[in-house]
Amino acid sequence: MSPPAPPEALQRPAPTAQEPVRTGSRTGLVAICVSLFAALVVSVVVAIGLGPAVVPPAETARFLWAALSGGPISADEVTTYQIIWQIRTPRVLLAALVGAGLSAVGVAIQALVRNALADPFVLGVSSGASVGAVGVTVMGGLAVFGIYAVSVGAFLGALVASVLVYGASSTKGALSPLRLVLTGVAMSLGFQAVMSVIIYFAPSSEATSMVLYWTMGSFGAASWGSLPVVTAAVLLGVLVLHRHGRPLDVLALGDETAASLGISPDRHRKSLLVLVSLVTGVMVAVSGSIAFVGLVMPHLVRMVVGATHARVLAVAPLAGAVFMVWVDLVSRTLVAPRELPLGVITALVGVPVFITLMRRKSYMFGGR
């Protein structure tokens, strides 16, 4: 006869395939976050220095410090300094911010709709933003915003898409995850049809290139002027989502379970839907649609830190930022001086990774 289990063993739930056993979880989580932050800093410095004009990391760091501290720059270094500070730095920082935001929003969306195949663009936000951007480009308007007219049009299009999806999927004030996903997919197809009609009746090379930009993604239009809004939106979104870690854990278990635990699924789903729509709209307005980051990154992070949303939301933004910095670097250097759309690279990386995850961790994709 085996000895009786100690009291703590009776109280501790058995480990499941969804949540692997880990020792020193808090220390391990801190170590992962510190390592990813260090990798992000190194990646940013390296990415800023690489391009048609290669600048060594030490020189790149010196130029960055001079820009931040107001240090002196010699006359023969002015051109290189301008390339580093005015062109590459805002682009690399924007890539890090968008990568962090897409990863965090992807985690939240998958919990909100209880669908492991969901990503930040499943609600039709990106398609609405594309219609807004193409509409402004082809038909004009919003001239009061100057060079930011297209981005403002994209953001307004994203907001319109969010409102339409919410209104169409809401039934007596309740939001069903399945209706939300189906409505988002239908709206995406509808917005794509509208965009095709706009281009058909106003064909031009500028419209075609704009469609490619908004459907495949690019950081080519990054500037210091666009960073403050994106920074505020992404940081606020990540912080609020992290504070909603427990409600997201409960929502992922189902509405009945959430209600039994004192969580109002409809109230939390509505507030989080507004948040993720706004953050996604801001990101799409400056970068276009970038696929697979918000889909694959949450699953990769869950493999390392488990399924608890507070842990995932602490790691996913850093991992997404590092990933997107390197994706952007490959985009602008692989076939230089031409630039590959970001969506091409993320798809080439994301598809094999996603298939590998599905084969090795099938329980994360709806079970066997």
Side-chain angles (χ1 to χ4, degrees):
M1 180 180 296
S2 59
E8 61 271 15
L10 297 176
Q11 299 174 5
R12 185 185 305 118
T16 65
Q18 296 277 359
E19 187 73 36
V21 177
R22 288 174 174 82
T23 58
S25 58
R26 185 174 181 82
T27 303
L29 181 64
V30 172
I32 292 173
C33 291
V34 171
S35 300
L36 283 174
F37 182 78
L40 177 60
V41 173
V42 173
S43 299
V44 166
V45 173
V46 172
I48 291 174
L50 293 180
V54 178
V55 181
E59 288 295 300
T60 301
R62 184 173 68 85
F63 285 130
L64 294 176
W65 177 250
L68 295 173
S69 63
I73 296 293
S74 61
D76 59 339
E77 295 176 328
V78 170
T79 301
T80 304
Y81 170 79
Q82 291 177 341
I83 292 174
I84 293 295
W85 183 247
Q86 297 295 336
I87 299 176
R88 294 183 186 172
T89 299
R91 175 170 182 149
V92 173
L93 293 180
L94 181 63
L97 287 169
V98 171
L102 289 176
S103 299
V105 172
V107 173
I109 286 290
Q110 290 172 6
L112 287 179
V113 301
R114 299 203 304 273
N115 191 325
L117 296 177
D119 69 356
F121 305 124
V122 73
L123 302 180
V125 177
S126 63
S127 298
S130 299
V131 170
V134 173
V136 171
T137 301
V138 173
M139 296 179 290
L142 302 179
V144 67
F145 295 100
I147 61 174
Y148 301 108
V150 175
S151 295
V152 173
F155 181 70
L156 293 177
L159 288 185
V160 171
S162 301
V163 172
L164 291 177
V165 170
Y166 174 83
S169 59
S170 178
T171 304
K172 296 181 180 179
L175 280 177
S176 166
L178 180 58
R179 289 174 63 91
L180 201 57
V181 172
L182 294 178
T183 304
V185 172
M187 288 294 181
S188 294
L189 296 175
F191 282 123
Q192 290 174 15
V194 171
M195 185 168 56
S196 299
V197 170
I198 294 175
I199 297 171
Y200 179 81
F201 285 103
S204 68
S205 58
E206 184 179 6
T208 303
S209 63
M210 185 60 65
V211 170
L212 181 62
Y213 174 89
W214 289 105
T215 55
M216 300 300 290
S218 173
F219 297 123
S223 65
W224 284 111
S226 61
L227 281 180
V229 175
V230 182
T231 302
V234 171
L235 290 181
L236 180 62
V238 170
L239 290 175
V240 173
L241 290 176
H242 191 270
R243 290 178 61 88
H244 282 76
R246 182 177 178 275
L248 287 172
D249 288 336
V250 178
L251 286 175
L253 299 176
D255 288 3
E256 293 183 359
T257 302
S260 67
L261 295 175
I263 299 294
S264 173
D266 288 329
R267 181 170 62 85
H268 281 85
R269 191 170 286 121
K270 289 176 185 177
S271 59
L272 290 174
L273 176 62
V274 172
L275 175 66
V276 299
S277 297
L278 289 175
V279 175
T280 303
V282 171
M283 291 187 295
V284 173
V286 295
S287 66
S289 303
I290 304 173
F292 278 99
V293 180
L295 172 63
V296 176
M297 200 57 63
H299 293 299
L300 288 175
V301 173
R302 288 190 191 101
M303 289 181 61
V304 178
V305 302
T308 304
H309 283 86
R311 296 170 61 86
V312 176
L313 286 168
V315 176
L318 291 171
V322 173
F323 175 69
M324 189 54 65
V325 167
W326 286 100
V327 167
D328 178 59
L329 177 62
V330 173
S331 166
R332 58 188 171 85
T333 59
L334 187 62
V335 292
R338 301 185 65 182
E339 181 178 321
L340 286 174
L342 297 173
V344 171
I345 301 171
T346 55
L348 290 176
V349 175
V351 170
V353 171
F354 189 77
I355 293 175
T356 302
L357 288 176
M358 186 170 58
R359 294 181 63 85
R360 294 182 59 188
K361 297 287 183 180
S362 59
Y363 63 89
M364 301 180 72
F365 297 85
R368 296 183 184 278

